[in-house]
Amino acid sequence: MPDQLIFAMEVTLNGLMAGVLYALVALGFVLIYKASGIFNYAQGVMALFAAMTLVGIMQGQVPFSHVINAVFGGHITHFGWTVPSFVAILMTVVVMVVLAWLVQVLVMKHLVGQEPIILFMATIGLAYFLEGVADLMWGSEIKTLDVGLPQGINLWIDETTFGVFGYGFFIDNLDIVATVIAALLVTGLVLFSQYTKQGRAMRAVADDHQAALSVGISLNFIWVLVWSVAGFVALVAGIMWGTKSGVQFSLSLIALKALPVLMLGGFTSIPGAIVGGLIIGVGEKLFEFLIGPMVGGATENWFAYVLALIFLVFRPQGLFGEKIIERV
């Protein structure tokens, strides 16, 4: 088998695993949009906030230590202890749930019934607010996140075991772990939405707010639940991306990569977020491999958006999105 074909297979496999990471971020958008009709621009910043909080808790860093030292002239930075990864993750989950409750009580509760553009602008303000709070809490320097996941070394797939026709290729260890975790997360979300009382209530709210209210479903509780689940998804995405490239403020830009995923898969479909992520991941890697050398490279920066533009023209609801028909 020619080396080029083997390399293309390696690129495809790595593209699939990169697509899983894109899909993780897109899931947070889908969950909130399905339940409330809000396009949450702050989802990427939520991933950044969760990752920075996790690093800060693990290192025993004092929250707002930069502000405290600047105001009172002290030199306090850490409590003097470190927190195990698992305990720190649980504590960060609690922080994200509290954040979800605050967002609902202080912001979204007062915007019920407003136009979608108002809600969208509110999430833009929320994104910049969370980014500023994260900077004040934990500092703006680049942080290393290590929760025990394999990283930094490519896994050699030996030709005598998993190779194809006597050839082997490289796969990133972290991408393998991310794929497994994403598969478990998506399976759990699907089971939760289909077979639990809260999940069915979420689907009812997504279909019709007034009908859900008429049967005794609390919109406030459901929206806090949805923002909490989206916060947990943001934490998982933040762990994966933070482990891969470090926890820094550019981490919030992963939300921009999720937009083409949503346009392909549909804003209201959990399976669509996964399929869209895989298409974008594989597509951009193969396009860079096949076409990149002909046009000078760097096609990964724009391929996803061009593909999304094509979908907007010919199928604006995406592959799995609901087609809305308005009669006048």
Side-chain angles (χ1 to χ4, degrees), residues 76-207:
I76 300 173
T77 56
H78 293 79
F79 289 110
W81 63 73
T82 58
V83 180
S85 299
F86 181 73
V87 176
I89 290 174
L90 292 179
M91 294 174 68
T92 306
V93 170
V94 173
V95 171
M96 298 306 291
V97 171
V98 172
L99 175 64
W101 178 77
L102 290 174
V103 167
Q104 173 58 24
V105 171
L106 300 179
V107 182
M108 296 305 168
K109 180 180 179 180
H110 303 285
L111 297 176
V112 174
Q114 296 293 330
E115 295 293 327
I117 186 62
I118 301 297
L119 298 173
F120 174 64
M121 294 300 294
T123 65
I124 293 179
L126 178 63
Y128 285 103
F129 175 77
L130 285 179
E131 190 168 321
V133 169
D135 190 1
L136 289 175
M137 285 182 69
W138 309 113
S140 58
E141 67 275 6
I142 299 176
K143 300 172 178 61
T144 300
L145 177 59
D146 184 7
V147 295
L149 298 178
Q151 55 177 307
I153 301 176
N154 287 340
L155 174 65
W156 173 253
I157 303 298
D158 190 83
E159 60 271 15
T160 61
T161 54
F162 298 103
V164 181
F165 298 104
Y167 293 83
F169 42 84
F170 290 97
I171 303 175
D172 193 296
N173 288 332
L174 181 60
D175 289 342
I176 296 176
V177 174
T179 301
V180 174
I181 292 176
L184 293 174
L185 182 60
V186 173
T187 302
L189 288 174
V190 171
L191 293 176
F192 174 77
S193 65
Q194 293 291 333
Y195 299 106
T196 66
K197 180 180 178 181
Q198 292 78 13
R200 288 191 293 269
M202 284 173 53
R203 288 190 290 136
V205 170
D207 290 337

Side-chain angles (χ1 to χ4, degrees), residues 46 180 252:
M46 287 172 63
V180 174
S252 63

